Structure formats: C-alpha cells, structure tokens
C-alpha cells in the first residue's frame, strides 16, 4: 500500500475542513471549527466593494482629527473679545463640515496615488466608491456654507473663501509649492470664521490667525514627505517654527483685543482673569504646545525616515489643540482656553476607542 495514503488520512483527521476528495496541490489555510469558509479572490473583491460601513467612513474622514477643529472658532471668538454663543456653535459646525469635506475630497483626488502608496485606505481598497466620496465632499461643503450663513453675513464672507481654499488645495495646489501656504490659509481663515460669527469682525483675530497658520504651514511642509522620508530640512524648519510660536503665544499681548475693554466688567467673557492666572495658563499651554510638537520634529530631523516623519506629522496635528488653547489664554479668555485644552484628552480617548491613532492630513 502506498504510505502516502495513511499520511493524507492523518492530516484530514487533524485539520478541520480537510476532505479525502481534496485535489492535489497547495492546500488552502485550514479554518477553525464554526468559522466561515475562506473567501475566494472574487468573493473578497465583492466584499471590499460592499463593506463600506461606519469604520470605512470614519477612516476616510479621519474622525480623531476633528477634535482639532472646534478650537479654531473658540480661539477666534476669544480674540474678538466676545463670549462664545449660538453663532459660535454655528461656526464650529461649519468648520467641522468644511474640514470633513476636505478630508473626503483629499482621498478622492489622491485615489490613484494612494493605490500605490497607501492601498489600505478606503478608496483604493474598494471599501468606499470614489463617487460616494466626491458626493460627500460636495454635500459637506454645502452644509458648511449653510451653517455659516446661519451665523450671519460676516461669517459667510469668511466661509466662502475658506471652502474655495479647501477645494483649490485638494484639486490643484497640494502637490505644488503653494500647497503648504494654502493649507495654512485655510486654518487661519477657520479661526477668523469664529471671530466673524461671534463678534462680526476679524481684525482683532488676525494675529492669532497668523500664528495658527504658521503652525499649520510647518506641519504641512513636513507631511509632504511622510511616505518617502529623506528630508531633514522640513522637520528642522518646523522645530524652529514651533519654538518661535511657543514664545509668541506665551508672551503678553501688547493691547487688549477689540471689544474686550468694553466688556471688562466682572463676569463677562471679555473680562480678563487675574493676571497671575492668565499668565500661568498662557505659559503652561504654550509649554505643552512646544513639548507636543518639538520632540517628534527633533527625531524626524535626526532620522528622516517615513515612520519618524509620519510620527512628526501626528505630533504636529496633536499640538494644534494646545496652541489654540494658548491663543485663547493670550486673549484673556481663561475659561475658553481650558475648554479648548480639554479637547486633547477627549481626542486621545476617542482615538483609543476607535483604534484610529494614526492620523494624517494628506
């Protein structure tokens, strides 16, 4: 008797799912008892096309990064010297919609590139159809503009160029030298949106918008090499920018923002807390900002590999929240700065709960 036959029977007994009628050749991985049958390549492809559920959309929209958005409008309201109110909430809603529109449009525009460099993303993996992502980008943009209109004409006057900047960045400017500047302009406009919606003007918020935009410029410049690495210049420039911004955010403003003197009665949002409390908040939050961003930038400058460059980008994104909080404290809005700072642990908790710790802006 051929000795291979008993051996085959022994394997059949040991491996669930094996049968005597199995054809010769490479064996498929055995499945555990009660588990579904392995998918064929065709069935796997069908599953990828139809499994675009909540998880895929959460990944496409980069939900953990949403916690960096409300601080823009709140810092803008603080710079305008006005108490955050219902119009501020409308500005925050508009910002969230326009931010998510940019995320969906980003992946739609980069779907061919991502198929090579990031095949795990929802569009190249087939979990979300490109047409659905583009439709979502358009719908979110419309919703963002509608919410801004509800906050008043000044807010809409800022939201319209903000939406145009988002679309121009994703469709035309991202891979050009103007890309980082466009992203910085979008973040600065988002802060001005909060000021316009809450106080009706933007002039007092221009310094805060410039600081926040400079931070975004540095992060975006680093992110352009997050898949290839090889450049120490961008992390070094970002490190220097972080130091300068931390010093400026920690410094006492030369004058009170417009409207804050008129609202300086105790108990109003425009009133400045005791100098020692305000100074401590401003200094402490600026230090947290510097610590959050500087260390990963430094590591990426020493070794500009893709993993460390991606970590530097993540650190820069996380540092946005303490910078927003420091800017609010610099404007004298102590309670608002603490509210913004609380978004950081909330974002970390959400990322852990959803297992989405890695966030990118590209």
């Amino acid at each position: 008797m051929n000795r291979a036959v008993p051996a085959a029977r022994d394997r059949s007994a040991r491996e669930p799912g094996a049968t005597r009628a199995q054809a010769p050749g490479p064996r498929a991985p055995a499945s555990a008892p009660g588990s579904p049958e392995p998918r064929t390549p065709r069935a796997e492809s069908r599953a990828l096309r139809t499994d675009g559920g909540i998880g895929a959309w959460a990944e496409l929209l980069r939900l953990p990064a949403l916690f960096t958005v409300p601080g823009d409008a709140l810092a803008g309201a603080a710079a305008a010297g006005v108490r955050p109110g219902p119009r501020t909430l409308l500005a925050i809603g508009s910002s969230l919609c326009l931010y998510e529109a940019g995320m969906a449009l980003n992946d739609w525009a980069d779907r061919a590139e991502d198929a090579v460099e990031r095949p795990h993303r929802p569009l190249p993996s087939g979990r979300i159809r490109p047409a659905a992502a583009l439709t979502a980008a358009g719908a979110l943009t419309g919703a963002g503009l509608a919410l801004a209109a509800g906050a008043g004409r000044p807010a809409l006057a800022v939201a319209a160029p903000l939406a145009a900047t988002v679309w121009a960045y994703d469709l035309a400017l991202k891979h050009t030298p103007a890309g980082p500047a466009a992203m910085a302009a979008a973040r600065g406009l988002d802060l001005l949106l909060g000021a316009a919606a809450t106080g009706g003007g933007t002039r007092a918020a221009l310094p805060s918008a410039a600081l926040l935009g400079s931070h975004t410029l540095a992060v975006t410049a680093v992110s352009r090499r997050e898949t290839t690495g090889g450049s120490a210049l961008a992390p070094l420039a970002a490190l220097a920018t972080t130091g300068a911004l931390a010093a400026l955010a920690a410094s006492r403003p030369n004058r009170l923002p417009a409207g804050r003197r008129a609202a300086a009665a105790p108990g109003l949002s425009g009133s400045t807390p005791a100098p020692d409390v305000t100074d401590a908040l401003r200094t402490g939050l600026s230090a947290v900002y510097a610590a959050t961003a500087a260390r990963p930038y430094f590591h990426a400058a020493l070794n500009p590999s893709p993993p460390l460059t991606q970590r530097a980008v993540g650190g820069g994104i996380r540092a946005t929240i303490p910078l927003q909080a420091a800017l609010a404290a610099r404007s004298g809005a102590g309670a608002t700065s603490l509210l913004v700072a609380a978004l950081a642990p909330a974002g970390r908790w959400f990322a852990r709960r959803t297992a989405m710790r890695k966030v990118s802006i590209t």
Side-chain angles (χ1 to χ4, degrees):
M1 180 183 294
N2 190 339
R3 298 176 60 185
V5 174
R9 289 176 179 169
D10 290 342
R11 285 196 300 270
S12 299
R14 290 194 304 267
E15 300 179 6
T19 63
R20 271 183 259 178
Q22 188 173 6
R27 300 173 64 90
S31 57
S35 63
E37 290 296 325
R39 291 174 173 171
T40 65
R42 182 174 297 178
E44 185 70 26
S45 177
R46 285 197 303 268
L48 286 175
R49 288 195 299 269
T50 58
D51 286 350
I54 295 177
W57 281 100
E59 184 180 345
L60 175 74
L61 299 176
R62 291 141 171 100
L63 291 188
L66 278 182
F67 289 85
T68 69
V69 177
D72 290 346
L74 292 172
V82 183
R83 180 194 297 271
R87 291 189 176 185
T88 312
L89 293 177
L90 288 173
I92 291 174
S94 175
S95 298
L96 291 171
C97 288
L98 294 177
Y99 187 90
E100 292 292 45
M103 292 295 100
L105 188 63
N106 174 84
D107 281 21
W108 180 85
D110 286 353
R111 60 193 185 281
E113 176 185 330
D114 287 346
V116 177
E117 297 182 352
R118 307 175 183 92
H120 60 279
R121 283 189 170 180
L123 266 64
S125 66
R127 288 175 289 154
I128 294 177
R129 293 179 294 109
L134 183 59
T135 301
L140 287 166
T141 300
L145 293 175
L147 288 170
R153 288 185 179 180
L156 181 59
V158 177
L162 171 57
T165 303
V166 169
W167 280 73
Y169 172 81
D170 284 329
L171 298 182
L173 300 177
K174 181 190 304 184
H175 300 295
T176 71
M183 182 71 83
R187 186 63 88 161
L189 285 169
D190 202 34
L191 187 146
L192 295 179
L193 174 59
T198 308
T202 59
R203 180 176 299 180
L206 287 174
S208 293
L211 294 179
L212 185 60
S214 298
H215 166 72
T216 305
L217 178 69
V219 179
T220 308
V222 175
S223 73
R224 291 163 74 89
R225 290 294 192 95
E226 66 176 342
T227 59
T228 60
S231 173
L233 181 60
L236 280 174
L239 184 61
T241 301
T242 299
L245 292 177
L248 289 171
S251 65
R252 185 188 295 272
N254 293 330
R255 62 183 179 83
L256 291 173
R260 193 168 295 284
R261 287 175 182 162
L268 295 181
S269 65
S271 61
T272 304
D276 55 336
V277 175
T278 303
D279 291 345
L281 278 174
R282 189 175 64 245
T283 303
L285 290 168
S286 298
V288 172
Y289 160 67
T292 304
R295 184 175 180 181
Y297 285 155
F298 180 71
H299 290 164
L302 291 178
N303 178 16
S305 62
L308 290 181
T309 302
Q310 293 165 13
R311 191 172 300 173
V313 174
I317 295 173
R318 290 190 297 273
T320 302
I321 294 177
L323 177 58
Q324 294 163 337
L327 293 175
R330 188 172 185 266
S331 299
T336 299
S337 69
L338 292 175
L339 175 62
V340 174
L343 293 171
R348 289 194 297 270
W349 176 85
F350 181 83
R352 286 195 299 268
R353 291 283 295 179
T354 57
M356 293 177 62
R357 299 187 183 184
K358 183 178 177 182
V359 178
S360 172
I361 59 176
T362 60

